[in-house]
Amino acid sequence: MPKFNDFDMENWKELTDIDTGSLWIIERRDNIGKHRGFYHGNFVPQIPRHFIKRFTKLGDVVLDPFMGSGTTAYECETLDRDFVGIDIKPEMIAYVRERLNEQALLYEGDSTDEKVFDTICADLQKHNRKNVQLVVLHPPYFDILKFSDNPKDLSNAKNLDEFKSSFALVVNNCIKLLENGRYLVVVIGDKYSKGQWHPLGFYCMNECMNLGLTLKSIIVKNMDGNRAKQGKNDIWRYRALSSDYYLFKHEYILLFKKG
Ligand SMILES: C[S@@+](CC[C@H](N)C(=O)[O-])C[C@H]1O[C@@H](n2cnc3c(N)ncnc32)[C@H](O)[C@@H]1O
């Protein structure tokens, strides 16, 4: 099996920070270093950190096409991996640019757009690189949280079908840049509307599988500490009990392999 990380398997018992189970209970967000956690809709740094350590080697390139406040970017910097990030919001590009090393490639653009990826490909070639070795995708959970007014923003998709097809376009663009035999990870939660549970995680999983990626794992992660619901537990519990629904306590981390 080709090596896709720098683990010292002679001393595998020392790799205590690498959870190999499919249920992750992360007690609290790790806000050390450049992480601020201010961005509504960000993920905890422990997620990209795990996948960078487990599925890349020193000097590999990591792509995040929904970069947001740069959580993946700061982890790459700390772990000496190169970073390529895209976000549709110019202010997030400016924010991360200010905090990050100069080598990182950041693009203000729409990740469904093939042309953005052509530019990235050309820029990577200038650095003698052909591919990226890991893709981390943390898309909007459809329209749960609106990120911008841009119609190409996935949180502004007109309906579920448009969300799914836009997500598939992004994944397809990423696959073309991903080295064969390497990994792509999607972090996504479900949504509830009009009395119905919408399994966004499973929809996105299907899109990835339809594009030929091999599903390697479905990790279920706890969602405690969701900012929107902080301090309102009693209200939500009352509402659930007086109706027929369940409160979201988990989201998905879907791991795929190319080739
Ligand atoms: C869930 S957030 C990602 C948060 C990020 N993981 C963090 O920790 O800060 C999703 C991001 O995707 C961006 N986005 C939405 N649609 C996009 C598109 N078509 N192309 C590029 N970025 C997009 C949003 O602006 C938002 O910053």
Side-chain angles (χ1 to χ4, degrees):
M1 187 155 190
K3 277 283 268 171
F4 46 75
N5 59 37
D6 293 321
F7 288 173
D8 173 10
M9 291 308 291
E10 301 268 310
N11 296 306
W12 65 272
K13 287 194 174 164
E14 285 169 19
L15 298 168
T16 49
D17 59 335
I18 304 295
D19 191 341
T20 48
S22 64
L23 176 63
W24 287 9
I25 308 296
I26 298 178
E27 299 293 349
R28 95 174 60 82
R29 184 189 170 86
D30 183 353
N31 266 342
I32 54 164
K34 293 184 178 175
H35 300 292
R36 292 290 170 268
F38 76 95
Y39 194 48
H40 207 33
N42 63 15
F43 56 20
V44 296
Q46 291 95 318
I47 296 177
R49 184 179 308 153
H50 171 97
F51 290 98
I52 293 166
K53 284 186 178 175
R54 179 130 197 231
F55 294 108
T56 65
K57 296 164 79 68
L58 217 62
D60 275 353
V61 187
V62 179
L63 166 68
D64 183 341
F66 299 107
M67 183 188 71
S69 57
T71 312
T72 310
Y74 312 132
E75 286 302 313
C76 284
E77 192 173 67
T78 309
L79 295 167
D80 274 329
R81 270 63 170 178
D82 287 330
F83 178 76
V84 179
I86 312 168
D87 204 281
I88 207 153
K89 287 172 73 168
E91 62 270 35
M92 295 326 293
I93 298 295
Y95 175 82
V96 178
R97 177 82 284 163
E98 218 172 82
R99 278 154 190 79
L100 210 58
N101 59 42
E102 283 181 2
Q103 309 93 277
L105 300 176
L106 305 185
Y107 301 85
E108 176 201 329
D110 168 17
S111 292
T112 67
D113 184 355
E114 241 182 321
K115 286 189 231 83
V116 174
F117 285 75
D118 291 343
T119 309
I120 295 175
C121 198
D123 289 347
L124 281 174
Q125 274 167 14
K126 284 181 209 152
H127 294 84
N128 296 321
R129 310 276 198 148
K130 278 199 297 222
N131 301 104
V132 301
Q133 283 71 42
L134 174 70
V135 184
V136 178
L137 299 103
H138 184 210
Y141 300 0
F142 183 23
D143 56 358
I144 288 184
L145 183 61
K146 191 175 152 73
F147 285 97
S148 69
D149 292 327
N150 191 317
K152 294 290 180 186
D153 181 332
L154 266 66
S155 65
N156 291 323
K158 287 189 214 71
N159 50 48
L160 206 45
D161 282 339
E162 190 179 293
F163 171 77
K164 286 191 254 179
S165 58
S166 300
F167 174 75
L169 284 174
V170 178
V171 175
N172 198 34
N173 286 335
C174 293
I175 289 174
K176 288 185 208 154
L177 263 193
L178 181 62
E179 187 179 313
N180 216 24
R182 292 306 196 103
Y183 296 83
L184 177 148
V185 57
V186 180
V187 181
I188 179 105
D190 293 335
K191 76 163 267 185
Y192 206 89
S193 77
K194 298 191 182 132
Q196 198 181 334
W197 186 294
H198 297 279
L200 300 183
F202 296 156
Y203 293 145
C204 289
M205 179 180 77
N206 281 339
E207 296 299 335
C208 292
M209 290 167 76
N210 288 340
L211 288 165
L213 292 170
T214 303
L215 180 64
K216 298 295 287 186
S217 185
I218 300 176
I219 296 165
V220 176
K221 175 198 155 284
N222 68 319
M223 268 181 88
D224 277 349
N226 179 326
R227 281 219 274 171
K229 295 199 176 140
Q230 260 170 28
K232 296 184 188 155
N233 284 345
D234 280 355
I235 305 166
W236 286 102
R237 182 167 157 73
Y238 177 84
R239 285 182 185 163
L241 279 172
S242 58
S243 181
D244 58 359
Y245 64 87
Y246 289 82
L247 304 175
F248 288 111
K249 291 282 182 179
H250 72 280
E251 57 195 340
Y252 298 100
I253 304 177
L254 308 166
L255 177 70
F256 300 91
K257 184 175 182 181
K258 176 178 171 179

